[in-house]
Amino acid sequence: MTAHELRAAELRELLNRYGHEYYVLDAPTVPDAEYDRLFRELQALEEAHPELAGADSPTKRVGGAPLAEFDSVTHAVAMLSLANAFSDMQLADPVERHAELIQFDERVRKGLDAAEVEYATEPKFDGLAISLLYENGVLIRAATRGDGVTGEQVTENVRTIRAIPLKLDGANPPALLEVRGEVLMLKRDFERLNAEQISRGDKAFANPRNAAAGSLRQLDSRITAQRRLSFFAYAIAQVEGTDWPATHQGEMDWLKQLGFPVVEASLRPVVKGVAGLSGYYEGVLARRAGLPFEIDGVVYKVNRRDQQDALGFVSRAPRWAIAHKFPAEEALTVVEAIEEQV
Ligand code: NAD
């Protein structure tokens, strides 16, 4: 084996283990920043040596296998991940600082043969993805992302989340609507839950994301009902029986009218070009600590759906969107919290 093959095998093994702990067990043992670092190292190795990139590599897969205890759901439209971009905020030169963002915008403009592209922006909520299916305006099924193709059926648990409408607002609901969004725990609810856990002598959760995932993936929905979970919608996967808006921003406004919680308008402006994106990124970064929920970055999506369709997907993520991650702030506390639990 060459040194590259050895390192790639080592990285795949580590990432598979950490992924299982995070996605399946809801109990990570390393900070996200460490996972991201190893993931990018493997990605770079596979790019330089394509023969190393087997279809079973963590860089080609989404999430983790669904738990056998739940009924499984096959997603009609795959639930993908997002490609990541990072910015080194220590760099003074904005072009150097946002180099990966500039590359993303260049790829999009080239793919669309456009001089300038409109992007819908959003916070990247640090919770877990959920698919909600409505038939004639009534919630009939909720499922986790799982491995992107097959998720866990968690309808009873999701019905206990007050922010999620059981019935849509308005007189003429679509015959079928699949909404995607993030289930999360607000910072204040997370603190309250951990205080209760500790006073009962139970284990504290490492962070709100794990608390949300652990609370949603409960076999007893009475436990989910006691945990205060929140929800924000961020995508539409399917609509039947009606036309729907042709832009991402229009979709979000429509979901709001139908009764879904959508993040406040000042956190989801439509912007143009790298200057618009980096301005949004730095603005949200400055607001991060004051937000009621945890975010690990922001997400940009090409606003027009026809342009999204033209760009399409790669194996695990759309080409028309990217997660622009924030610098890790929680790395140390997460490790400490995890160590305290062991
Ligand atoms: P991701 O979290 O990088 O991006 C995709 C997800 O973002 C979606 O599934 C959705 O749940 C979420 N999301 C939040 N806001 C969104 C919005 N506005 N629009 C669309 N989606 C939005 O996806 P991933 O591939 O599941 O996770 C990888 C990340 O998970 C890593 O970057 C790492 O930080 C973390 N992770 C950590 C460990 C660990 O051991 N600590 C292990 C595995 C993964």
Side-chain angles (χ1 to χ4, degrees):
M1 260 201 201
T2 65
H4 289 136
E5 282 168 346
L6 270 174
R7 181 62 183 153
E10 189 178 36
L11 288 168
R12 274 198 291 269
E13 197 191 308
L14 274 176
L15 288 165
N16 281 335
R17 191 171 89 217
Y18 295 154
H20 182 77
E21 290 165 350
Y22 180 92
Y23 295 118
V24 182
L25 307 179
D26 296 325
T29 56
V30 291
D32 289 356
E34 170 71 0
Y35 179 89
D36 291 343
R37 195 181 59 73
L38 298 174
F39 191 95
R40 286 162 71 82
E41 187 186 340
L42 182 59
Q43 251 177 343
L45 259 179
E46 290 179 345
E47 261 163 44
H49 308 275
E51 70 284 1
L52 296 176
D56 63 339
S57 169
T59 62
K60 301 277 182 292
R61 280 188 282 119
V62 173
L67 283 177
E69 288 85 342
F70 291 97
D71 286 343
S72 61
V73 168
T74 305
H75 297 298
V77 179
M79 291 184 81
L80 297 178
S81 180
L82 290 167
N84 282 333
F86 291 79
S87 286
D88 184 346
M89 297 304 282
Q90 310 296 332
L91 297 173
D93 176 4
V95 173
E96 284 178 26
R97 195 188 311 151
H98 294 307
E100 295 188 10
L101 183 58
I102 294 169
Q103 286 163 15
F104 166 71
D105 179 58
E106 271 169 12
R107 279 198 305 274
V108 167
R109 284 190 291 111
K110 199 166 160 225
L112 296 173
D113 196 16
E116 193 172 55
V117 174
E118 257 190 8
Y119 296 99
T121 60
E122 275 163 9
K124 184 167 186 295
F125 306 103
D126 205 4
L128 76 157
I130 195 93
S131 146
L132 304 171
L133 195 64
Y134 292 81
E135 248 175 36
N136 298 315
V138 177
L139 176 69
I140 58 152
R141 196 195 73 191
T144 62
R145 187 180 68 171
D147 62 9
V149 176
T150 309
E152 298 147 335
Q153 197 262 95
V154 288
T155 315
E156 286 314 306
N157 295 356
V158 161
R159 286 206 174 104
T160 71
I161 302 176
R162 293 205 188 118
I164 294 183
L166 300 178
K167 199 169 168 300
L168 302 183
D169 290 346
N172 292 309
L176 184 106
L177 173 69
E178 185 186 347
V179 174
R180 304 232 169 124
E182 197 88 344
V183 169
L184 51 85
M185 195 174 279
L186 298 182
K187 290 173 185 170
R188 59 156 200 264
D189 294 329
F190 169 71
E191 275 153 29
R192 185 157 51 194
L193 173 63
N194 261 359
E196 286 165 8
Q197 294 281 111
I198 290 163
S199 70
R200 277 199 303 262
D202 289 338
K203 266 198 323 192
F205 290 95
N207 54 48
R209 192 250 163 223
N210 293 124
S215 301
L216 187 68
R217 299 166 82 221
Q218 285 284 338
L219 293 172
D220 182 350
S221 53
R222 284 172 303 183
I223 299 179
T224 313
Q226 289 161 12
R227 309 274 174 84
R228 287 162 195 268
L229 292 172
S230 301
F231 171 79
F232 286 102
Y234 56 62
I236 293 178
Q238 305 183 70
V239 182
E240 280 173 22
T242 184
D243 288 336
W244 83 102
T247 63
H248 182 75
Q249 191 186 43
E251 289 180 340
M252 292 303 102
D253 293 339
W254 186 49
L255 288 179
K256 195 172 169 204
Q257 283 168 22
L258 291 173
F260 292 95
V262 166
V263 79
E264 62 173 271
S266 74
L267 281 171
R268 54 181 183 95
V270 169
V271 301
K272 284 183 184 163
V274 172
L277 294 174
S278 57
Y280 172 76
Y281 176 87
E282 294 184 15
V284 178
L285 186 55
R287 286 177 67 180
R288 181 186 197 180
L291 294 176
F293 43 81
E294 284 206 341
I295 62 177
D296 58 342
V298 292
V299 182
Y300 313 132
K301 299 171 182 172
V302 169
N303 195 30
R304 276 171 47 185
R305 235 184 22 251
D306 62 332
Q307 293 187 327
Q308 295 180 359
D309 294 343
L311 288 164
F313 299 86
V314 285
S315 57
R316 69 190 290 280
R319 280 202 194 88
W320 44 265
I322 200 155
H324 194 180
K325 293 282 206 109
F326 284 157
E329 63 171 7
E330 79 287 20
L332 218 71
T333 40
V334 172
V335 172
E336 281 166 3
I338 290 167
E339 279 170 0
E340 274 163 26
Q341 281 180 35
V342 181

